[in-house]
Amino acid sequence: MSLNVEAARAAIGRANRIAVLTGAGVSAESGIPTFRTNGGFWQTHRFEDLATPEGFARNPARVWEWYEERRRGIAAAEPNPGHFALAQLEAQLETTKSEFTLITQNVDNLHQRAGSKNILRLHGDIFITRCMCCSHERLETSPLKELPPKCHCGGTMRPGVVWFGEMLPEGTIERAGAAVCQSDVFLVAGTSAQVYPAAGLIPLALQNGATVIEVNPEATDFSDAVTIALRGTSADLLPQLL
Ligand code: OAD
């Protein structure tokens, strides 16, 4: 075990309040592509076409086909040791009445399936379908029969995720900010930290004196600023931090 891993482990062991921010990298070892690295989605697809309100207005069926393909991939995937380690850490902290908040940018459901409970989902849930007319929401994990799906009110339904240029689900970034400000340790895993407001939680934690631990095989814009930068994958490193 490296000195850095030992230092991170010790900081986590001492902490009474832990907040965690995850990104697509924590699901990479479950076979789900990331967005910006290793042939990630935004290296092969135009986000303007697939992840903006304008792209959906232009061609809802094309957008839905892409989300259906991703939903199929996620449904067939399994949580990896990184997801399970975070769920185990939450369970451990529960027994000592310490606080744990998992903030994720991921729209997959692998944290829940691994057993994490206190989750703030900044970018929504890919298995939720929302009506653009009456805002009715449905949780749908099986393949959709028509694209785009229709609501009982006749309205067109969209994926329950956040697209570029849209607001985050009400209250989520505020609750995330509060958890980060109160945390002794802020663990950041598998995110390129390029998308705001999520990335802004990292300087916020540093300004509030938290020990910030980054887990990522590659350096990010925040690697030099964080307290401990661990180079490696989340499935490998997160279990070592418990
Ligand atoms: P990115 O694709 O931008 O970044 C993924 C990060 O994970 C990179 O820094 C990789 O180095 C790292 N990584 C890759 N494999 C890893 C592994 N096995 N273990 C740990 N880290 C690994 O994904 P996000 O930062 O999550 O937004 O992207 C943020 C947002 O941009 C997403 O939520 C999505 C996207 O557009 C919306 O859909 C609104």
Side-chain angles (χ1 to χ4, degrees):
M1 192 178 289
S2 79
L3 282 177
N4 268 348
V5 171
E6 257 177 58
R9 201 177 139 90
I12 289 171
R14 280 192 305 269
N16 289 317
R17 291 165 188 259
I18 298 183
V20 181
L21 173 67
T22 64
V26 296
S27 295
E29 286 153 289
S30 295
I32 301 175
T34 62
F35 294 94
R36 296 175 181 80
T37 48
N38 300 328
F41 290 123
W42 302 151
Q43 296 179 321
T44 52
H45 298 67
R46 276 168 47 89
F47 78 86
E48 296 89 339
D49 290 337
L50 300 174
T52 61
E54 296 87 341
F56 189 70
R58 279 197 297 272
N59 196 338
R62 177 176 58 186
V63 171
W64 263 116
E65 275 161 23
W66 185 62
Y67 279 91
E68 269 294 85
E69 192 185 314
R70 287 178 61 201
R71 285 156 62 121
R72 274 196 299 275
I74 294 164
E78 296 295 335
N80 66 55
H83 295 108
F84 286 116
L86 292 175
Q88 204 182 327
L89 180 59
E90 181 174 6
Q92 268 175 20
L93 290 172
E94 226 169 40
T95 63
T96 57
K97 303 253 183 302
S98 306
E99 292 200 16
F100 180 90
T101 308
L102 176 54
I103 305 157
T104 189
Q105 299 167 86
N106 296 347
V107 296
D108 66 43
N109 54 10
L110 297 184
H111 283 308
Q112 288 90 317
R113 283 165 55 198
S116 287
K117 292 187 207 142
N118 191 20
I119 311 178
L120 287 173
R121 306 188 67 176
L122 297 183
H123 294 166
D125 178 342
I126 199 166
F127 291 108
I128 296 240
T129 307
R130 187 169 67 246
C131 178
M132 298 187 67
C133 293
C134 71
S135 299
H136 173 69
E137 288 189 349
R138 289 199 295 246
L139 180 69
E140 281 171 310
T141 45
S142 34
L144 297 169
K145 295 195 180 71
E146 57 173 346
L147 299 181
K150 292 280 178 206
C151 181
H152 53 71
C153 80
T156 297
M157 301 199 82
R158 58 165 282 174
V161 301
V162 175
W163 285 327
F164 287 96
E166 293 189 318
M167 309 274 280
L168 303 195
E170 203 182 338
T172 50
I173 193 66
E174 291 78 4
R175 287 203 291 279
V180 166
C181 288
Q182 290 162 12
S183 65
D184 314 308
V185 166
F186 185 41
L187 177 60
V188 182
T191 178
S192 62
Q194 291 188 30
V195 174
Y196 285 74
L201 296 170
I202 301 170
L204 185 67
L206 289 166
Q207 284 150 20
N208 281 278
T211 298
V212 179
I213 303 165
E214 179 184 69
V215 172
N216 198 312
E218 289 172 28
T220 71
D221 289 349
F222 290 101
S223 297
D224 289 340
V226 299
T227 324
I228 306 171
L230 301 176
R231 287 285 150 262
T233 75
S234 52
D236 180 33
L237 284 174
L238 292 178
Q240 295 186 47
L241 299 183
L242 293 189

